[in-house]
Amino acid sequence: MLDGPGIARIAALIGDPARAQALTALLGGQALTAAELAEEAGVTPQTISAHLGKLVDAELLVVEQQGRHRYFRLAGHEVAHALESLMQVAARRGPLRVRPGPREPALRRARVCYDHLAGDAGVAVYDGLVARRALDERDGDVALTDSGRRLFDALGIDIDVLALHRRPLCRACLDWSVRRHHLAGALGAALFARMLAQGWARRIKGSRAVDITPPGARALAAHFSAR
C-alpha cells in the first residue's frame, strides 16, 4: 500500500483540458461566474457546470452566492501553488499552449500569481532582495533577514502581523515564464497589495497581466534593485 494521500483523483481532475483551463483562469485570484469560465475553457455552460461541480467537490474550488450569481474561485494559495508548479513542469516538457496576441508578452513582463507578483518584474524584485541580503536563500529555503525586516517595515508592511498567518511568511515560487524564483507567501502577497495601494502597479482588466506604472518602476528600482 502506498503511504500518504492519494494524488491520482486530484491529478485526473486537473488533467482534463477544460478543467485545467478553468483553473488557470482563476490564478489571478479573482472570482468568476460559470459563464465566464465556460468562455475561458471553450465549452458550453452545461459542460462547465459539470466540471465545476467536480472541482468544488474535490475542494479545489469554492463557490460564493451573490444575488442571482454564483462565483467560483480557487480554494486557497495551496491550490494556486500546485497549479503554478504544474505550469512550470509543462513549460519544461513541451511547447506552451497560449492564445496568440498581445496578452502573452504582457503576462511575461508582469502578472499576478494568485496574490503575488510574478513574471520578469517579480523575478527582478526577488533577485534584488537576495542581492541586498534582505532574503537568505539556503538549502532550497528562503528566510527574511533583519535587513529585510527593516526594508519591509519602511514600506509599511508589518512583519509581526504577517508572521501570525498560517501560511509561510516567505516562499520562493518558481516562475514558469522566467524559470527562476519570485516571492510568494504572506510577504509576497503583502508586497503586491502594497504596490497596488501605492499606485506602483495596476491590474489589467480581464487578464492576469499587471502594469507597472512609471512611479512603480522608480520605486521598485529604489527599493529592490541589486546594488
Side-chain angles (χ1 to χ4, degrees), residues 6-64:
I7 65 172
R9 174 170 173 258
I10 298 300
L13 284 169
I14 296 174
D16 177 88
R19 290 194 288 264
Q21 191 63 38
L23 289 165
T24 302
L26 294 168
L27 266 175
Q30 76 278 45
L32 297 176
T33 65
E36 290 168 327
L37 290 170
E39 183 176 355
E40 288 285 341
V43 296
T44 66
Q46 294 79 9
T47 299
I48 201 65
S49 179
H51 286 315
L52 294 175
K54 293 177 181 179
L55 294 172
V56 170
D57 287 344
E59 298 184 3
L60 293 173
L61 296 181
V62 293
V63 59
E64 298 177 0

Side-chain angles (χ1 to χ4, degrees), residues 4 10 24-25 29 35 38 93 121 155 157-159 167 174 177 188 206 210 216:
I10 298 300
T24 302
R93 295 294 182 264
L155 291 173
I157 295 175
D158 193 327
I159 301 301
R167 68 191 294 188
L174 196 58
S177 62
V210 171

Side-chain angles (χ1 to χ4, degrees), residues 40-222:
E40 288 285 341
V43 296
T44 66
Q46 294 79 9
T47 299
I48 201 65
S49 179
H51 286 315
L52 294 175
K54 293 177 181 179
L55 294 172
V56 170
D57 287 344
E59 298 184 3
L60 293 173
L61 296 181
V62 293
V63 59
E64 298 177 0
Q65 186 83 33
Q66 292 245 350
R68 298 170 54 192
H69 299 288
R70 300 172 76 222
Y71 291 89
F72 296 84
R73 59 180 173 82
L74 297 182
H77 59 87
E78 299 93 343
V79 178
H81 178 49
L83 293 171
E84 190 77 11
S85 297
L86 285 172
M87 292 173 73
Q88 169 65 22
V89 173
R92 290 201 306 266
R93 295 294 182 264
L96 296 177
R97 296 180 66 237
V98 298
R99 298 178 182 179
R103 286 202 305 172
E104 178 60 16
L107 286 172
R108 290 179 177 274
R109 284 193 299 272
R111 67 181 181 279
V112 60
C113 177
Y114 188 58
D115 60 3
H116 55 271
L117 183 66
D120 293 337
V123 170
V125 167
Y126 182 89
D127 288 347
L129 289 169
V130 172
R132 290 181 174 220
R133 303 183 186 276
L135 292 179
D136 180 30
E137 285 186 310
R138 191 172 302 175
D139 299 326
D141 293 325
V142 60
L144 186 68
T145 66
D146 290 340
S147 174
R149 175 183 283 267
R150 290 191 294 271
L151 186 156
F152 283 100
D153 281 345
L155 291 173
I157 295 175
D158 193 327
I159 301 301
D160 291 332
V161 171
L162 295 182
L164 299 176
H165 292 195
R166 293 180 60 185
R167 68 191 294 188
L169 176 63
C170 48
R171 182 174 59 78
C173 185
L174 196 58
D175 196 292
W176 66 261
S177 62
V178 185
R179 306 190 188 186
R180 290 165 57 202
H181 290 121
H182 59 249
L183 180 64
L187 185 56
L191 175 58
F192 184 57
R194 188 65 173 165
M195 291 175 63
L196 294 174
Q198 292 291 103
W200 297 351
R202 291 191 295 253
R203 296 287 302 267
I204 296 176
K205 187 176 180 180
S207 173
R208 290 174 62 198
V210 171
D211 178 35
I212 304 297
T213 65
R218 292 192 293 271
L220 293 184

